[in-house]
Amino acid sequence: MEMQIYLPLILVVFAAIITLGYVFVLFRRVSRIAVNDKRVGDISKHIHDGAMTFLIREYKLIIPFVLGIGIVLTVLGFIPALEGAEGIGWKSAICFVIGSLFSAAAGWIGMSIATKANARTALKARDDGMSGALNTAFSGGAVLGLSVVGFGLLGLAGITLVAYLITGDIKAPIQILTGYSLGCSMIALFARVGGGIYTKAADVGADLVGKLEAGIPEDDPRNPATIADNVGDNVGDVAGMGSDLTESYVGSILSALTMVLLSPDLLALNSTNPSLFFKYLLFPVLLCGIGAIASIISVIIVRAKKWADPHKALNIATYIATGIVIAASITLSLAYVGNWKLMICVIAGLLAGVGIGFIAELYTSDAFSSVKRIAKESTTGHGTNIISGIGVGMKSTWLTIACLGAVIAISYFFGGEYGIALAAVGMLSTVGVTVSVDAYGPIADNAGGIAEMAELPHEVRGITDKLDSVGNTTAAIGKGFCIGSATLTSLSFIISFVKAAGVTISLDDPKVLIGMLVGAMLPYLFSALTIGSVGRAANKMVDEVRSQYEAHPEILEGKMAPDYNKCIDISTKASLREMIVPGIIVLVSPIVAGFVLGASGLGGLLIGGLVSAIMLAVFMANAGGAWDNAKKYIESGKFGGKGSDAHKAAITGDTVGDPFKDTAGPAMDILIKLMSVISLVIVPILSTDGFKCLWDLIVSLF
Amino acid sequence: MEMQIYLPLILVVFAAIITLGYVFVLFRRVSRIAVNDKRVGDISKHIHDGAMTFLIREYKLIIPFVLGIGIVLTVLGFIPALEGAEGIGWKSAICFVIGSLFSAAAGWIGMSIATKANARTALKARDDGMSGALNTAFSGGAVLGLSVVGFGLLGLAGITLVAYLITGDIKAPIQILTGYSLGCSMIALFARVGGGIYTKAADVGADLVGKLEAGIPEDDPRNPATIADNVGDNVGDVAGMGSDLTESYVGSILSALTMVLLSPDLLALNSTNPSLFFKYLLFPVLLCGIGAIASIISVIIVRAKKWADPHKALNIATYIATGIVIAASITLSLAYVGNWKLMICVIAGLLAGVGIGFIAELYTSDAFSSVKRIAKESTTGHGTNIISGIGVGMKSTWLTIACLGAVIAISYFFGGEYGIALAAVGMLSTVGVTVSVDAYGPIADNAGGIAEMAELPHEVRGITDKLDSVGNTTAAIGKGFCIGSATLTSLSFIISFVKAAGVTISLDDPKVLIGMLVGAMLPYLFSALTIGSVGRAANKMVDEVRSQYEAHPEILEGKMAPDYNKCIDISTKASLREMIVPGIIVLVSPIVAGFVLGASGLGGLLIGGLVSAIMLAVFMANAGGAWDNAKKYIESGKFGGKGSDAHKAAITGDTVGDPFKDTAGPAMDILIKLMSVISLVIVPILSTDGFKCLWDLIVSLF
């Protein structure tokens, strides 16, 4: 009996360690590629130092939050009424700190290698052509992808194993894992929001003053903000995206475990058929263990071959991992648990992940009509460009929701609430590859920038441009994937919350209705704040660049190097300062709602926030992607090409789309996940006997 | 006992008849003002004919829908299981037709007089100055305002009276009044959506080709689309807005009546204290009767004085009516029902209406910082103008939601679900004045256009501009009011729906979750469709104007009158065609959701749709208003004034904001109200014994 639990957990811990071991190997391989060009080396060092400085400052800023929350969790555990409550107490606090550390470590390693791989990709492109460059960029991405999986899984399976060893009770680890998940969420909050503001402040600032005022091309070394722009790609798309998916990954597995405990049918097995009960518990964990190995295999296979077409290579990586996980889910469902319905849920989740990615491509790729229409509407002016982009973004919600609705329905039909959580696990089981493919994008983008700045031969830029354009597609697909996985994970958390709260949260309860209204408003407020932050930070950047040009006109003539570090410093400071207010709103809102409106009002807040945030996230991501590609489509020579009026209008759309798709949109994922995890943590307080929310206190007056 | 019911109802019917009588008087007074300028008369006739043609064609298009739904309602009544169900059967079908006819009649009368009052306002401005012009424009608006109240109340109280006379059962009329409300909603759907598309297609089309291409000013008679533009103001802001508020008005009273029947405490009174029971039922009806008379009084008082400041006059009108209604609610609460809590709910609703209006002003008036910031951001380009406008719109949601949340909480604390409905009734009790003030705007706007086209003396344009600028503020406030009242009314309907369905609609039910996701998506899809419609229709308008200029270059030299009717025809046809698809989506979605997901899924759809639609409505209305006024602020000479780069950027914002604030935004009100009324009508089917939705059928397979 004991072995039935220990063996799978040990295997998964082992898989996690193998994954991290392979991360180490890949890291060394990429680092060892010689940087045999001084200029490339210098630029790369600038970017690396800038990125690491940002990360150090960001982590420093987070430390008080982590410690504060850790202390609160510990103190709450000493309240007698809350003893043994899920996610509270010193054990949860330790898990919380571990979660923060692991997520931070994955981000750190990923950023470290991404800012090394960029220069090496550029140089490989020069020396070995496409296949060498692709190999390097993909290996760099894989370091992040496998770190996310390795750390996520190590923490989950490790904590479970240790806690079970100590207590001998399988429920014990699950109760403290909420703390672990919250830790990952905390890092994700700041990494996503801060990173999102950083990247677009630098990008928009650099474009406004460089392209439009000084008339110099993108990535020109004369632009003081250009290094900050390249740092931003890493800060946003590497560290931010990685921590976002770490959170989803850990959250989905945790919610599947929680569902087993909260679903009466499955929990009953604990006494009638404990062996089967444990199989239900360990199924998602084992599946993700296999997913980790599958990711390693697909990375190895892709690295072993010389590719001429990057798109094909990345697709193959995805197909291999997906194929292995599907096979594993079938095997585990039939041979291990003995319930064929589970594999349906897993596969539905996997396919929905692919489906949402494809829908994102449908609305944001210039191969389809939407982007072409935006390009055409650009010929009649800025206004029509904006209107049609907004129309495309809004319209794209319907297919995305149809896809999400279908996966919820299917997984529920076959597996109940546990099935919905399994669908999330299924979608995220191949996250190692998904993140690898996604993180490859900013490395390729950076490589192009470095090639430009270091004036490498023209064909190098040709190769990096090709890599980059594939990266744009994978980025759009990745965003859809982030939204889809965040939705399913949050949905599972919310269902757990409702069950744990032990109250019916009914739609004719005004507390629920007010909660929903406030919840639906929060994503708008949050978006307004982060978009405003980008504007303010970009303006500071513009001022700095202008003053450098004024003080030293030689910079523009290329006779003097601009002060890159000042611009990096501006982006860093601005993004760190600007992320505080939105961050606090996310952390505090569910707590305030819980104490004012009670558990049912908080449930309303969560679900209102979820539906509102998904819509905004899909709308903003796809509108932004469509504007971006409409601009590129015109730049490719359509509707007058570069410099035409249509192009100017398309640039307007792209400027609006930048904070949409890279700042506010991705932040929505964090908003909904973090609010639901916090709610899960405070639900024991809200459902304590004797707890009265402000609402009930007021009602008792009348 | 009987007299206790008859007397109040007869009094209210009497008040409605007096109101309609005063409408007749006002109509004649305005019509009798002589049009002693041939050119003014011609232009006015063009606008009048265009508007009436649109209305006739629109009504013709609606007739099959009205008849079809009427027949369905009748047929459903013959199904034995549904006998006696609310909103179904031939009696409801008759009420449904009456509702359509009354709402259509109010729109017709309002449009008729608005398109007569415009010319007369211009001429009065020439002959009598500000006070005469204001008097005429306000009287024109009051015809619509009082028609809305008169017809709405006559139908409600009249049907109640007749049904009670026949059956002697007070529940009978309430059961068939849902049909009446649905009738009003049907007209509102097509009037709002069609009107919204018409007005902006004409406006954007006229601007694009006139201002930007031909370089002629607004309202220039050489622009073939200019009459269509003026027709559009009436079609959208008179007929559309009027039918929107008729729907809310009728809906709020009906939902208060329904709440009495659905609330166990109040229903229990029926046997313990029937006299008090009837008082609760008749309280909202009586209050609205007094509100109607209060509106007449305030119109009479404002008309009796000569005003130099239109803003003051309109405010006084609002204050008088509000004061009377507050006094009435206190008197009725204390002396009639004997429950002081009712007046709190009514007054909370009234104040919330004012509050939401003020919040709209805060974010859209150039007296406050938001609009100034957008104007400033316009100096750095089109992109920053758009981003800051979107930011302002998104940010404005939080105060609006705080205000709505407060009124829901307060009215629930004091009056339960009945209290929430009373808050809606309170907000709408002065709708006679609100609509009068609102409808005055397009009349003043039209008067300015006519003065320009007919080349009346310069000081006429000065007066109409002043009237118009006040109209812009009242329009923004009116939009906030439409959103607020739609929210409270729909919320009451949804609560009625949940109670009538007799199922717990809980958040951990996946049917509810899927319903919510789909519901939240619908406003986005709907907005995308209507915004797209405006674009397509505007493009057709541009093509027509261009071809007229090409065929007859003399038009631009002012030597030949353009063919205005062709442009009117294009707007009419395009808007009628384009409103079909969004209209059908609204009508069909709740029915499909009900049959696929059942009552609980439909409940999810309604509430998901409500929160998503409110947010979009507030966001779009306020962003649009802010862009509009930022442009006007720059035109007043700030940041470079007319013709500067900042002005061009601000025009882009205004172009984007036009379909936001006048097409998609207001359509949200209809979307949520209509979907909830339809759900109330089909709920008896969904809660019939033996009814199985598709979801349950599939579940039974596994």
Side-chain angles (χ1 to χ4, degrees):
Chain A
M1 187 67 222
E2 294 287 289
M3 251 352 257
Q4 285 195 9
I5 301 170
Y6 284 128
L7 188 64
L9 283 175
I10 291 171
L11 282 176
V12 172
V13 169
F14 201 61
I17 292 171
I18 291 177
T19 310
L20 291 177
Y22 189 61
V23 165
F24 181 73
V25 172
L26 274 183
F27 196 106
R28 291 228 324 187
R29 286 212 186 135
V30 173
S31 307
R32 278 190 179 169
I33 298 170
V35 179
N36 50 12
D37 182 299
K38 187 176 175 307
R39 244 170 121 179
V40 169
D42 284 352
I43 295 166
S44 168
K45 193 172 176 316
H46 266 301
I47 297 176
H48 182 77
D49 291 350
M52 287 334 211
T53 308
F54 171 78
L55 222 51
I56 291 170
R57 288 215 213 156
E58 182 180 72
Y59 288 168
K60 270 192 195 156
L61 191 85
I62 302 177
I63 289 174
F65 283 92
V66 170
L67 290 182
I69 293 176
I71 291 170
V72 170
L73 289 180
T74 310
V75 170
L76 283 177
F78 289 107
I79 299 173
L82 296 176
E83 216 172 326
E86 201 169 319
I88 282 175
W90 63 269
K91 293 172 216 154
S92 293
I94 291 177
C95 292
F96 170 74
V97 174
I98 294 176
S100 309
L101 286 177
F102 275 18
S103 178
W108 179 270
I109 294 172
M111 282 276 274
S112 239
I113 198 67
T115 51
K116 284 170 189 282
N118 52 11
R120 289 159 175 87
T121 300
L123 293 173
K124 276 278 180 188
R126 187 194 59 189
D127 301 336
D128 299 355
M130 173 59 83
S131 72
L134 172 65
N135 192 304
T136 312
F138 182 67
S139 301
V143 167
L144 176 67
L146 297 176
S147 294
V148 164
V149 173
F151 279 109
L153 215 48
L154 181 64
L156 259 169
I159 289 173
T160 310
L161 192 58
V162 172
Y164 185 64
L165 263 173
I166 298 171
T167 62
D169 175 11
I170 194 66
K171 283 181 212 155
I174 299 176
Q175 283 177 341
I176 57 174
L177 278 176
T178 312
Y180 180 67
S181 185
L182 184 64
C184 297
S185 294
M186 276 294 298
I187 301 296
L189 169 69
F190 291 107
R192 237 328 175 196
V193 177
I197 296 172
Y198 188 117
T199 179
K200 288 302 125 177
D203 187 10
V204 173
D207 280 1
L208 277 179
V209 78
K211 276 198 217 170
L212 296 179
E213 284 186 19
I216 52 179
E218 201 163 341
D219 294 325
D220 192 292
R222 289 170 294 172
N223 190 337
T226 190
I227 299 270
D229 187 9
N230 280 290
V231 172
D233 289 342
N234 293 295
V235 163
D237 292 347
V238 176
M241 187 264 298
S243 65
D244 187 347
L245 284 173
T246 307
E247 185 191 14
S248 281
Y249 185 63
V250 169
S252 71
I253 303 176
L254 170 64
S255 64
L257 298 178
T258 315
M259 282 304 173
V260 176
L261 297 190
L262 290 173
S263 135
D265 289 355
L266 295 178
L267 190 59
L269 289 176
N270 197 8
S271 25
T272 58
N273 187 350
S275 157
L276 186 59
F277 173 73
F278 290 122
K279 284 179 179 168
Y280 273 102
L281 269 180
L282 293 170
F283 174 77
V285 185
L286 271 173
L287 190 74
C288 287
I290 296 173
I293 302 299
S295 301
I296 297 179
I297 293 172
S298 72
V299 171
I300 291 177
I301 291 178
V302 167
R303 276 178 48 90
K305 231 193 111 177
K306 285 193 184 296
W307 300 92
D309 177 3
H311 202 258
K312 202 173 157 194
L314 300 178
N315 278 344
I316 295 271
T318 309
Y319 295 154
I320 293 172
T322 308
I324 296 176
V325 169
I326 289 181
S329 73
I330 296 174
T331 315
L332 286 175
S333 298
L334 299 179
Y336 180 64
V337 186
N339 179 351
W340 60 271
K341 291 177 182 172
L342 303 191
M343 68 196 192
I344 307 279
C345 305
V346 172
I347 295 171
L350 260 170
L351 295 182
V354 178
I356 291 174
F358 176 71
I359 295 165
E361 212 184 332
L362 188 66
Y363 285 99
T364 61
S365 152
D366 64 9
F368 300 99
S369 65
S370 292
V371 168
K372 286 182 187 147
R373 201 177 322 120
I374 296 176
K376 184 165 177 266
E377 293 280 344
S378 306
T379 57
T380 44
H382 303 259
T384 41
N385 165 283
I386 297 292
I387 291 177
S388 62
I390 288 175
V392 166
M394 286 184 160
K395 211 171 180 177
S396 73
T397 56
W398 91 263
L399 267 179
T400 312
I401 292 303
C403 186
L404 282 171
V407 69
I408 295 170
I410 291 171
S411 56
Y412 182 80
F413 281 138
F414 288 96
E417 285 97 352
Y418 178 62
I420 296 178
L422 280 190
V425 172
M427 193 184 272
L428 288 156
S429 54
T430 58
V431 79
V433 169
T434 316
V435 174
S436 304
V437 168
D438 225 13
Y440 139 100
I443 296 175
D445 190 358
N446 259 234
I450 292 173
E452 187 79 28
M453 285 187 269
E455 292 166 355
L456 291 185
H458 192 67
E459 44 299 5
V460 172
R461 187 74 209 215
I463 291 173
T464 58
D465 274 358
K466 199 165 171 193
L467 289 175
D468 188 24
S469 87
V470 175
N472 278 328
T473 310
T474 62
I477 296 175
K479 257 162 219 147
F481 187 82
C482 284
I483 295 168
S485 62
T487 306
L488 288 183
T489 307
S490 310
L491 212 51
S492 300
F493 276 141
I494 294 175
I495 295 174
S496 304
F497 170 83
V498 175
K499 291 192 180 292
V503 292
T504 348
I505 300 188
S506 169
L507 285 193
D508 55 351
D509 178 351
K511 282 180 277 189
V512 177
L513 295 172
I514 293 176
M516 286 185 66
L517 284 173
V518 174
M521 175 272 291
L522 287 176
Y524 282 82
L525 179 61
F526 196 81
S527 300
L529 290 174
T530 50
I531 290 175
S533 299
V534 170
R536 277 189 297 275
N539 279 336
K540 281 201 187 115
M541 187 66 85
V542 169
D543 289 342
E544 169 62 26
V545 173
R546 279 185 191 155
S547 75
Q548 286 201 25
Y549 285 161
E550 265 170 39
H552 305 282
E554 317 89 84
I555 295 176
L556 266 177
E557 295 157 23
K559 290 180 188 153
M560 178 184 166
D563 188 347
Y564 298 122
N565 284 331
K566 264 204 172 160
C567 290
I568 293 176
D569 198 50
I570 285 172
S571 267
T572 305
K573 275 191 190 148
S575 59
L576 294 177
R577 192 178 48 243
E578 296 280 354
M579 79 185 179
I580 305 262
V581 175
I584 288 178
I585 290 178
V586 178
L587 291 172
V588 167
S589 297
I591 298 173
V592 171
F595 287 98
V596 173
L597 297 173
S600 57
L602 176 52
L605 179 106
L606 293 180
I607 196 76
L610 176 68
V611 297
S612 175
I614 301 170
M615 298 303 147
L616 272 184
V618 174
F619 160 55
M620 294 199 281
N622 290 342
W627 273 315
D628 190 355
N629 282 328
K631 187 194 72 174
K632 289 191 175 127
Y633 186 67
I634 292 177
E635 283 172 353
S636 77
K638 307 293 190 310
F639 297 111
K642 270 195 182 179
S644 64
D645 281 347
H647 186 227
K648 279 178 196 145
I651 289 177
T652 296
D654 189 34
T655 312
V656 175
D658 266 345
F660 265 39
K661 74 181 196 306
D662 292 322
T663 311
M668 295 293 109
D669 308 342
I670 309 295
L671 179 88
I672 54 177
K673 281 184 288 184
L674 186 51
M675 291 207 308
S676 37
V677 178
I678 294 175
S679 306
L680 261 187
V681 171
I682 64 171
V683 73
I685 309 174
L686 304 181
S687 52
T688 310
D689 286 338
F691 171 80
K692 256 198 169 177
C693 62
L694 192 61
W695 178 281
D696 290 335
L697 287 176
I698 295 177
V699 165
S700 65
L701 294 179
F702 294 105
Chain B
M1 187 67 223
E2 295 286 288
M3 251 352 257
Q4 285 196 7
I5 302 169
Y6 285 130
L7 188 63
L9 282 175
I10 291 171
L11 282 176
V12 173
V13 169
F14 202 60
I17 292 172
I18 291 177
T19 311
L20 291 176
Y22 189 61
V23 164
F24 181 72
V25 172
L26 274 182
F27 196 105
R28 290 228 325 187
R29 284 211 188 135
V30 173
S31 307
R32 278 190 180 169
I33 298 170
V35 178
N36 51 14
D37 180 301
K38 189 176 173 308
R39 244 169 122 179
V40 169
D42 283 352
I43 296 166
S44 167
K45 194 171 175 317
H46 266 301
I47 298 176
H48 182 78
D49 291 350
M52 287 331 206
T53 307
F54 171 79
L55 222 52
I56 292 170
R57 287 215 213 157
E58 182 181 72
Y59 288 168
K60 270 192 195 157
L61 192 86
I62 301 177
I63 289 174
F65 283 92
V66 170
L67 290 182
I69 293 176
I71 291 170
V72 170
L73 290 179
T74 309
V75 171
L76 283 176
F78 288 108
I79 299 174
L82 296 175
E83 216 171 327
E86 201 168 319
I88 283 176
W90 64 269
K91 293 172 217 155
S92 293
I94 291 177
C95 292
F96 169 74
V97 174
I98 294 176
S100 310
L101 286 177
F102 276 18
S103 177
W108 179 271
I109 293 172
M111 282 276 274
S112 241
I113 198 66
T115 51
K116 283 171 188 283
N118 52 11
R120 289 162 176 85
T121 300
L123 293 172
K124 276 280 181 187
R126 186 193 61 189
D127 302 336
D128 300 355
M130 173 58 83
S131 72
L134 171 66
N135 192 305
T136 311
F138 182 68
S139 301
V143 168
L144 177 67
L146 297 175
S147 293
V148 164
V149 172
F151 280 110
L153 215 49
L154 181 63
L156 258 169
I159 289 172
T160 311
L161 191 60
V162 172
Y164 184 66
L165 263 174
I166 298 172
T167 63
D169 175 12
I170 194 66
K171 283 182 212 154
I174 300 174
Q175 283 178 339
I176 56 174
L177 277 176
T178 312
Y180 180 67
S181 184
L182 184 64
C184 296
S185 295
M186 276 295 297
I187 301 296
L189 169 69
F190 291 107
R192 236 330 175 195
V193 177
I197 296 171
Y198 188 116
T199 179
K200 288 302 125 176
D203 188 10
V204 174
D207 281 0
L208 278 178
V209 78
K211 277 197 216 169
L212 296 179
E213 284 186 19
I216 53 178
E218 202 162 340
D219 294 325
D220 192 292
R222 289 169 293 173
N223 189 337
T226 190
I227 299 271
D229 186 8
N230 280 290
V231 172
D233 289 341
N234 294 294
V235 163
D237 293 346
V238 175
M241 186 265 297
S243 65
D244 186 347
L245 284 172
T246 306
E247 185 190 14
S248 281
Y249 184 63
V250 169
S252 70
I253 304 175
L254 170 64
S255 63
L257 297 178
T258 315
M259 282 305 173
V260 175
L261 297 190
L262 289 174
S263 135
D265 289 356
L266 295 179
L267 190 60
L269 290 176
N270 196 7
S271 25
T272 58
N273 186 350
S275 158
L276 186 59
F277 173 74
F278 291 122
K279 284 179 178 167
Y280 274 101
L281 268 181
L282 293 171
F283 174 77
V285 185
L286 271 173
L287 189 75
C288 287
I290 296 173
I293 301 300
S295 301
I296 297 180
I297 293 172
S298 72
V299 171
I300 291 177
I301 291 177
V302 168
R303 275 178 49 89
K305 232 193 110 176
K306 285 193 183 295
W307 300 92
D309 177 4
H311 202 259
K312 200 172 159 196
L314 299 178
N315 279 344
I316 295 270
T318 309
Y319 295 153
I320 294 172
T322 307
I324 296 176
V325 169
I326 288 181
S329 72
I330 296 173
T331 316
L332 286 176
S333 298
L334 299 178
Y336 180 65
V337 186
N339 180 350
W340 60 272
K341 292 177 181 171
L342 303 191
M343 68 195 191
I344 308 279
C345 305
V346 171
I347 295 172
L350 260 171
L351 294 182
V354 178
I356 291 174
F358 176 72
I359 295 165
E361 211 184 332
L362 188 66
Y363 286 98
T364 60
S365 152
D366 64 9
F368 300 98
S369 65
S370 292
V371 167
K372 286 182 187 147
R373 199 175 326 119
I374 297 176
K376 184 165 176 268
E377 293 281 345
S378 305
T379 57
T380 43
H382 302 260
T384 41
N385 165 283
I386 297 293
I387 289 176
S388 62
I390 288 176
V392 166
M394 286 184 160
K395 210 171 183 179
S396 73
T397 56
W398 91 263
L399 267 179
T400 312
I401 291 304
C403 186
L404 282 171
V407 69
I408 294 170
I410 292 171
S411 56
Y412 182 79
F413 281 139
F414 290 96
E417 284 98 352
Y418 179 62
I420 296 178
L422 279 191
V425 171
M427 194 183 272
L428 288 156
S429 55
T430 58
V431 78
V433 170
T434 316
V435 173
S436 303
V437 168
D438 225 13
Y440 138 101
I443 295 175
D445 189 359
N446 259 236
I450 293 173
E452 187 79 29
M453 283 186 270
E455 292 166 353
L456 292 185
H458 193 66
E459 51 287 13
V460 172
R461 186 74 209 215
I463 291 174
T464 58
D465 274 357
K466 198 166 172 194
L467 289 176
D468 188 23
S469 85
V470 174
N472 277 328
T473 310
T474 62
I477 295 175
K479 258 161 217 146
F481 186 82
C482 284
I483 295 169
S485 61
T487 306
L488 289 182
T489 307
S490 310
L491 213 52
S492 300
F493 276 142
I494 293 175
I495 295 174
S496 304
F497 170 84
V498 175
K499 292 194 179 292
V503 292
T504 347
I505 299 187
S506 169
L507 286 193
D508 56 351
D509 178 351
K511 281 179 278 189
V512 177
L513 296 173
I514 293 176
M516 286 184 67
L517 284 173
V518 174
M521 175 273 290
L522 286 176
Y524 282 81
L525 179 61
F526 196 82
S527 300
L529 289 175
T530 49
I531 290 175
S533 299
V534 170
R536 277 190 296 275
N539 279 336
K540 281 203 187 113
M541 187 68 83
V542 169
D543 289 342
E544 169 62 25
V545 174
R546 279 185 191 154
S547 76
Q548 286 201 22
Y549 285 162
E550 265 169 39
H552 305 282
E554 317 90 84
I555 295 177
L556 266 177
E557 296 158 21
K559 290 181 188 153
M560 181 184 164
D563 188 347
Y564 299 123
N565 284 331
K566 264 203 172 161
C567 290
I568 293 177
D569 198 51
I570 285 172
S571 266
T572 306
K573 274 190 189 150
S575 59
L576 294 178
R577 192 177 47 243
E578 296 280 354
M579 78 185 180
I580 305 263
V581 175
I584 287 178
I585 288 178
V586 178
L587 291 172
V588 167
S589 297
I591 299 173
V592 171
F595 287 98
V596 173
L597 297 172
S600 56
L602 176 52
L605 179 105
L606 292 181
I607 196 75
L610 175 67
V611 296
S612 174
I614 299 169
M615 298 305 147
L616 272 183
V618 174
F619 159 55
M620 294 199 280
N622 290 341
W627 273 316
D628 191 355
N629 281 329
K631 186 194 72 172
K632 289 192 174 124
Y633 185 66
I634 291 177
E635 283 173 353
S636 77
K638 307 293 190 308
F639 298 111
K642 271 195 181 178
S644 64
D645 281 347
H647 187 227
K648 278 178 197 146
I651 290 177
T652 296
D654 188 34
T655 312
V656 176
D658 265 346
F660 264 39
K661 72 181 199 308
D662 292 323
T663 311
M668 296 293 109
D669 308 342
I670 308 294
L671 179 88
I672 54 178
K673 282 185 287 184
L674 187 51
M675 291 207 308
S676 38
V677 178
I678 293 174
S679 307
L680 261 187
V681 171
I682 65 171
V683 73
I685 308 174
L686 305 180
S687 53
T688 309
D689 286 338
F691 171 79
K692 257 198 169 176
C693 63
L694 193 60
W695 178 282
D696 291 334
L697 286 176
I698 294 177
V699 165
S700 64
L701 294 179
F702 294 105

